Amino acid sequence: MTFQTFLAAGFALMGALASAQQTPAPFTVHQLKPNVYWVEGGGGNSGVIVGDKGVIVVDAKTSAAGGKELLDDIAKITPKPVTTVILTHSDGDHVNGLASFPAGVKVIAHEGNKKEQEKALAAGGRGAPPADHLPSEVVSKNRESLKLDGVKVELYHWAPAHTSGDLVVYLPNEKIVFTGDIIATQLPDPLIHLEKNGSSEGWIATTKGIVGLKADQFVPGHGDVQTKSAIEKRLTDAEAKRAKIKDLVAQGKSLDEIRAAVGDAPPAQGRGGGRGPGFAGFTQVVYEELTKKGV
Ligand SMILES: [Zn+2]
């Protein structure tokens, strides 16, 4: 290879990499039951439930383009219109694709979710939710049993966990649960947004609730479908880790000492890379909860 062809090959490769970054992979539609699907890609997982006359969607992807791709995928499954969206929580990668949904679609969310979206909307900026698709039906009870387009749907909020406004979506007839980010498989530990009043104790209560449901397929907020035993293991691991952190806090250890003792990787912050602020890890969340309560 001459130097010129070497350079040309290098530029061609760079061009291919750049276009690969610009064109995200298409979403993948997975079928769970004759009338129930989950859609992977473009942020959080989405659920698609085909009812008698319309479609119920769980979570709406990150952007207007993602929301449109989701609707296009649904149109390939069924000609029925989307009538209802249920949101598992307020994070933008589950909500902001609503910008592409039809006007007047019913949006069901927990009251804490609605408050968080209103706050994000008032703050403005790129991550703000679409103003014309705020939740239109608010859940304030811990359990709500609904019939949507002929489909039995139960909504649960045991406690603030990932955020203050989590909803777990359960289809009792199909034995399927959509957990939202209570379960996010890219991380070994629970992901808790303290800035949205999430709670590690609430996460444990919520995950106990999830494994108590009669279901055999659990669609997480991120990652592949989980079995009940995989979620039980996450629960046991999180309880053990929380108990260990609690002991170390009682011994007066610092956060860095506790992180080292529980075997956490050092925090990624400060490494540059321009990825914006990372979320507090589980150890930090528990540490902050326990040290705050003691004051
Ligand atoms: Zn989230």
Side-chain angles (χ1 to χ4, degrees):
M1 188 188 279
T2 66
F3 185 62
Q4 278 76 14
T5 54
F6 172 77
L7 273 186
F11 280 122
L13 180 63
M14 279 162 63
L17 286 173
S19 66
Q21 276 169 1
Q22 280 157 12
T23 320
F27 299 170
T28 312
V29 178
H30 306 266
Q31 188 165 21
L32 296 168
K33 292 277 171 184
N35 65 324
V36 185
Y37 303 76
W38 70 280
V39 183
E40 181 184 9
N45 291 331
S46 289
V48 175
I49 305 147
V50 182
D52 290 339
K53 290 183 182 146
V55 178
I56 303 134
V57 172
V58 179
D59 289 351
K61 305 299 181 191
T62 309
S63 63
K68 187 183 175 302
E69 185 171 345
L70 176 60
L71 293 174
D72 289 347
D73 282 339
I74 294 168
K76 287 175 207 157
I77 297 170
T78 174
K80 295 173 187 174
V82 173
T83 54
T84 310
V85 179
I86 304 170
L87 298 176
T88 61
H89 65 292
S90 69
D91 287 351
D93 58 333
H94 298 253
V95 170
N96 293 357
L98 278 174
S100 292
F101 277 61
V105 70
K106 188 196 288 178
V107 179
I108 301 176
H110 187 265
E111 60 182 352
N113 177 331
K114 189 177 185 189
K115 280 184 198 146
E116 287 162 8
Q117 285 197 53
E118 284 166 347
K119 202 174 152 194
L121 195 59
R126 277 187 63 196
D132 54 350
H133 284 87
L134 286 179
S136 56
E137 226 168 89
V138 161
V139 176
S140 50
K141 288 187 278 183
N142 286 359
R143 178 175 181 272
E144 191 98 60
S145 202
L146 305 168
K147 199 139 204 191
L148 300 168
D149 273 310
V151 181
K152 209 173 166 201
V153 179
E154 292 180 10
L155 304 176
Y156 287 89
H157 173 90
W158 286 276
H162 175 62
T163 67
S164 79
D166 302 317
L167 271 188
V168 170
V169 181
Y170 173 46
L171 307 179
N173 292 337
E174 290 81 3
K175 295 192 163 61
I176 293 170
V177 179
F178 295 94
T179 70
D181 283 4
I182 306 299
I183 307 296
T185 65
Q186 74 273 37
L187 298 165
D189 293 329
L191 173 57
I192 290 156
H193 294 319
L194 279 181
E195 73 282 9
K196 290 186 175 179
N197 298 308
S199 148
S200 67
E201 270 186 309
W203 185 91
I204 288 167
T206 299
T207 306
K208 281 181 179 166
I210 288 172
V211 298
L213 295 172
K214 284 196 179 85
D216 39 46
Q217 300 187 95
F218 299 78
V219 181
H222 297 266
D224 264 331
V225 176
Q226 302 288 295
T227 60
K228 185 171 284 194
S229 62
I231 296 179
E232 278 166 343
K233 180 166 191 318
R234 280 183 172 267
L235 174 61
T236 317
D237 289 351
E239 284 182 301
K241 189 163 183 174
R242 192 179 188 281
K244 192 167 180 187
I245 296 165
K246 196 173 176 182
D247 271 358
L248 293 162
V249 168
Q251 291 167 33
K253 302 285 186 197
S254 72
L255 176 57
D256 283 342
E257 287 168 332
I258 296 172
R259 277 183 173 138
V262 298
D264 283 353
Q269 304 147 351
R271 241 188 248 161
R275 279 165 179 254
F279 297 122
F282 184 67
T283 304
Q284 184 180 347
V285 166
V286 176
Y287 178 86
E288 285 184 17
E289 287 173 340
L290 294 172
T291 51
K292 226 175 267 169
K293 273 182 197 163
V295 176

